[in-house]
Amino acid sequence: MNKNFFTLLVVACLFISSLSYGQEDRRIKIEIALKDGNKTTKALLRSATFSFTKSTVSGTESEVKNNYYFSLDFEKQDIALLAVLMKNKAGVDGQITMTDIFGKLPTRKFDFTKGRVDSLSDQLTADYTSAYISLLCDSLIIDGVKIE
C-alpha cells in the first residue's frame, strides 16, 4: 500500500510541476508609447536596448553629434505602432517604461524625441515570430536625467 501511494504521489507531483513549468509569469512589463498628435499608441516589448555614442561631424573635433539608439524586440510586429512610425518621417516623441508588476523594483522611464526607424526586421516561422525595430532619436532622458 505504501509503495502504491508513494508512486501515485510522485506521478501527481510530476504532473503538477509539468503544468506549472509551461506557464510563463513575466515579472517585468516593458511598454513603448508613441505620441501621434492627440492620441497615444502603445505596444508591449520583449526587450529594449539603449545605446549612446558621440561622433565628430565632418572630421572636426569641435563639432560633436550625439547619437541615441533604441533596439526594440517585439514578440510580434505591432501594426498600429509601425503605422505611426512610418507616417511620421520627421520622427515621433515617445516613452519606454519598465514596470515590475510585483512592485518590488522602481519603474524606469526612457523619454525620447523624434524617434525614427533606422532599421526593421520581422521573422516569421511556423512556430515562432519576432520583430525588431531600431530607432534613431534626437534626445533622451532616462529617469529624469538628460543624456548628453
Side-chain angles (χ1 to χ4, degrees):
M1 180 71 176
N2 285 340
K3 188 176 181 182
N4 290 338
F5 178 73
F6 179 72
T7 304
L8 181 62
L9 183 64
V10 168
V11 169
C13 288
L14 289 174
F15 178 72
I16 291 171
S17 69
S18 70
L19 287 177
S20 64
Y21 179 74
Q23 296 175 354
E24 212 175 280
D25 267 345
R26 292 199 178 156
R27 177 181 177 148
I28 304 297
K29 176 184 168 188
I30 306 170
E31 184 177 59
I32 184 169
L34 300 179
K35 298 170 193 157
D36 183 22
N38 292 334
K39 70 179 201 176
T40 302
T41 303
K42 294 181 179 183
L44 290 177
L45 297 169
R46 186 180 358 225
S47 70
T49 304
F50 160 72
S51 62
F52 168 69
T53 62
K54 289 186 173 203
S55 59
T56 57
V57 177
S58 303
T60 62
E61 295 286 328
S62 61
E63 196 174 345
V64 176
K65 178 171 176 32
N66 294 335
N67 301 298
Y68 307 94
Y69 295 97
F70 276 107
S71 294
L72 309 174
D73 177 13
F74 298 86
E75 286 189 25
K76 63 179 182 169
Q77 190 68 261
D78 188 287
I79 300 303
L81 187 92
L82 184 62
V84 170
L85 288 168
M86 293 296 117
K87 181 174 84 172
N88 297 293
K89 300 288 185 201
V92 62
D93 296 346
Q95 181 181 71
I96 295 173
T97 55
M98 183 186 82
T99 308
D100 178 2
I101 59 172
F102 297 143
K104 304 254 184 214
L105 299 172
T107 297
R108 304 281 318 270
K109 293 182 182 177
F110 297 80
D111 294 296
F112 59 89
T113 60
K114 295 191 179 178
R116 313 170 288 290
V117 173
D118 187 49
S119 68
L120 167 72
S121 69
D122 210 341
Q123 179 185 12
L124 305 169
T125 65
D127 57 353
Y128 180 79
T129 63
S130 65
Y132 302 93
I133 297 177
S134 262
L135 292 182
L136 174 62
C137 307
D138 282 0
S139 69
L140 178 68
I141 299 172
I142 300 175
D143 295 331
V145 177
K146 185 171 180 160
I147 306 301
E148 296 183 290

